[in-house]
Amino acid sequence: MSRPELQAPPEIYYGDAEAKKYTNNSRIQQIQADMTCRALELLNLPPDEPAILLDIGCGSGLSGEILEEQGHLWVGVDVSPSMLEVALEREVEGDLFLQDIGQGLGFRAGSFDGAISISVIQWLLNAETSHPTSSPPHRLMRFFTTLHAALKNPSRAVLQFYPTSDDQVQLITSTAQRAGFGGGVVVDYPNSNKARKVFLCLVIGGEGGAQQIPKGLEVDGAEAGSQARFERGRERQHKRDKSGKRKSIKIKEWILKKKELYRRRGKEGVPEDSKYTGRKRKAFF
């Protein structure tokens, strides 16, 4: 069976039925969780600090849930109304936007501490019309230029994708470089057809160029699947206390980050910070 992006545009392919089927598939849930954990590792965020992250092609919020588990705030964009509808039904914590990333991202400069994308940017490699501005190079350039503007300096973006040829990898990486990014490609399990994963690790600012890119994971194909599941389990266990529950996110930090995000986006009526921010209110009867 051919890849989904070769069958129809994403907003058509992921209709109501496919969006629910995708979200409820336990195998897909596991794959999304594994790759999101790996993307977060490659982002190399400061430990124990909540970040404001952009989830590009957030779908129904499977990757966003992992970001939340790790204590981060997130904003998601996706071109499929059906996927976003499922995300709303699941009551995910992220703020959601219906957006075609090939037309560019509409966020204020420096809005995000980092960005991730899981299994998305290969969709930009297909021309939707014969018009020159719909060609893959044009769509990629609009995407990378606006992504670069939306990120803080310094920061990173980690984009996992499925290329079908070296030419596609070259087109994507060269376009990102022309948009101002440093960095390059990280390949996990390069010798395994099944476990091989390609990540575009992009950097802005003082982190340097391609020499700063992390090394890909190198495990024999037979061991790769169990290794990925082990890493995912270890990450989740780290986030749980001895009672088996998730470690709580510091309420004050979460609220302050949320207010900061709203202010950057120009939202009116955001309450001022005070010494009472994040305190639990007492109940009076």
Side-chain angles (χ1 to χ4, degrees), residues 137-154:
H138 279 82
R139 288 172 61 77
L140 284 167
M141 181 55 76
R142 284 194 294 268
F143 166 62
F144 283 121
T145 300
T146 53
L147 174 60
H148 189 282
L151 293 172
K152 286 183 178 179
N153 185 351

Side-chain angles (χ1 to χ4, degrees), residues 87-106:
L88 290 173
E89 291 174 359
R90 298 175 69 238
E91 298 183 342
V92 299
E93 290 294 329
D95 293 328
L96 306 174
F97 292 87
L98 178 65
Q99 198 162 40
D100 178 2
I101 63 173
Q103 298 298 324
L105 301 168

Side-chain angles (χ1 to χ4, degrees), residues 1 10 13 35 38 66 146 151 177 219 251 255 264 275:
M1 181 180 294
Y13 181 85
M35 292 193 294
R38 177 58 171 153
I66 305 301
T146 53
L151 293 172
Q177 289 168 358
V219 179
I251 299 299
I255 292 174
R264 287 180 185 173
K275 64 181 181 179

Side-chain angles (χ1 to χ4, degrees), residues 91-129:
E91 298 183 342
V92 299
E93 290 294 329
D95 293 328
L96 306 174
F97 292 87
L98 178 65
Q99 198 162 40
D100 178 2
I101 63 173
Q103 298 298 324
L105 301 168
F107 298 104
R108 290 190 176 189
S111 293
F112 300 101
D113 301 310
I116 70 161
S117 180
I118 306 299
S119 310
V120 172
I121 60 173
Q122 70 269 6
W123 291 89
L124 295 177
L125 297 172
N126 300 312
E128 297 190 354
T129 70

Side-chain angles (χ1 to χ4, degrees), residues 30-92:
Q30 178 179 312
I31 292 172
Q32 286 283 117
D34 290 342
M35 292 193 294
T36 303
C37 287
R38 177 58 171 153
L40 278 171
E41 181 181 346
L42 293 171
L43 272 183
N44 194 32
L45 295 166
D48 302 321
E49 292 185 17
I52 300 175
L53 302 177
L54 177 62
D55 186 357
I56 301 162
C58 63
S60 54
L62 296 178
S63 52
E65 287 179 333
I66 305 301
L67 301 181
E68 179 192 347
E69 281 188 2
Q70 299 293 327
H72 302 300
L73 302 173
W74 62 280
V75 173
V77 297
D78 203 280
V79 74
S80 167
S82 297
M83 276 291 201
L84 294 177
E85 185 65 32
V86 174
L88 290 173
E89 291 174 359
R90 298 175 69 238
E91 298 183 342
V92 299

Side-chain angles (χ1 to χ4, degrees), residues 43-269:
L43 272 183
N44 194 32
L45 295 166
D48 302 321
E49 292 185 17
I52 300 175
L53 302 177
L54 177 62
D55 186 357
I56 301 162
C58 63
S60 54
L62 296 178
S63 52
E65 287 179 333
I66 305 301
L67 301 181
E68 179 192 347
E69 281 188 2
Q70 299 293 327
H72 302 300
L73 302 173
W74 62 280
V75 173
V77 297
D78 203 280
V79 74
S80 167
S82 297
M83 276 291 201
L84 294 177
E85 185 65 32
V86 174
L88 290 173
E89 291 174 359
R90 298 175 69 238
E91 298 183 342
V92 299
E93 290 294 329
D95 293 328
L96 306 174
F97 292 87
L98 178 65
Q99 198 162 40
D100 178 2
I101 63 173
Q103 298 298 324
L105 301 168
F107 298 104
R108 290 190 176 189
S111 293
F112 300 101
D113 301 310
I116 70 161
S117 180
I118 306 299
S119 310
V120 172
I121 60 173
Q122 70 269 6
W123 291 89
L124 295 177
L125 297 172
N126 300 312
E128 297 190 354
T129 70
S130 59
H131 195 277
T133 59
S134 293
S135 67
H138 279 82
R139 288 172 61 77
L140 284 167
M141 181 55 76
R142 284 194 294 268
F143 166 62
F144 283 121
T145 300
T146 53
L147 174 60
H148 189 282
L151 293 172
K152 286 183 178 179
N153 185 351
S155 64
R156 289 189 182 189
V158 176
L159 317 174
Q160 182 273 328
F161 67 108
Y162 290 104
T164 59
S165 67
D166 291 341
D167 288 341
Q168 288 188 347
V169 175
Q170 177 60 31
L171 174 61
I172 289 173
T173 55
S174 62
T175 306
Q177 289 168 358
R178 289 200 304 273
F181 285 103
V185 173
V186 175
V187 181
D188 286 351
Y189 315 124
N191 298 320
S192 171
N193 291 332
K194 183 177 181 180
R196 185 176 187 269
K197 292 293 182 293
V198 178
F199 295 84
L200 184 61
C201 187
L202 302 175
V203 298
I204 296 176
E207 296 189 61
Q211 69 273 16
Q212 297 294 324
I213 302 173
K215 292 183 178 179
L217 302 178
E218 294 185 4
V219 179
D220 291 338
E223 302 175 14
S226 59
Q227 172 84 1
R229 287 191 292 273
F230 171 77
E231 292 294 337
R232 173 172 169 253
R234 186 179 66 174
E235 290 286 342
R236 290 193 168 186
Q237 185 62 34
H238 179 68
K239 277 294 173 182
R240 297 177 186 273
D241 59 24
K242 293 182 180 179
S243 66
K245 298 179 180 179
R246 293 181 191 171
K247 290 183 178 179
S248 61
I249 302 169
K250 293 182 179 179
I251 299 299
K252 184 173 183 178
E253 291 182 4
W254 189 91
I255 292 174
L256 291 175
K257 280 282 187 177
K258 198 75 170 180
K259 287 181 177 179
E260 180 184 355
L261 175 62
Y262 284 149
R263 292 183 185 120
R264 287 180 185 173
R265 286 165 42 192
K267 185 173 182 179
E268 297 181 356

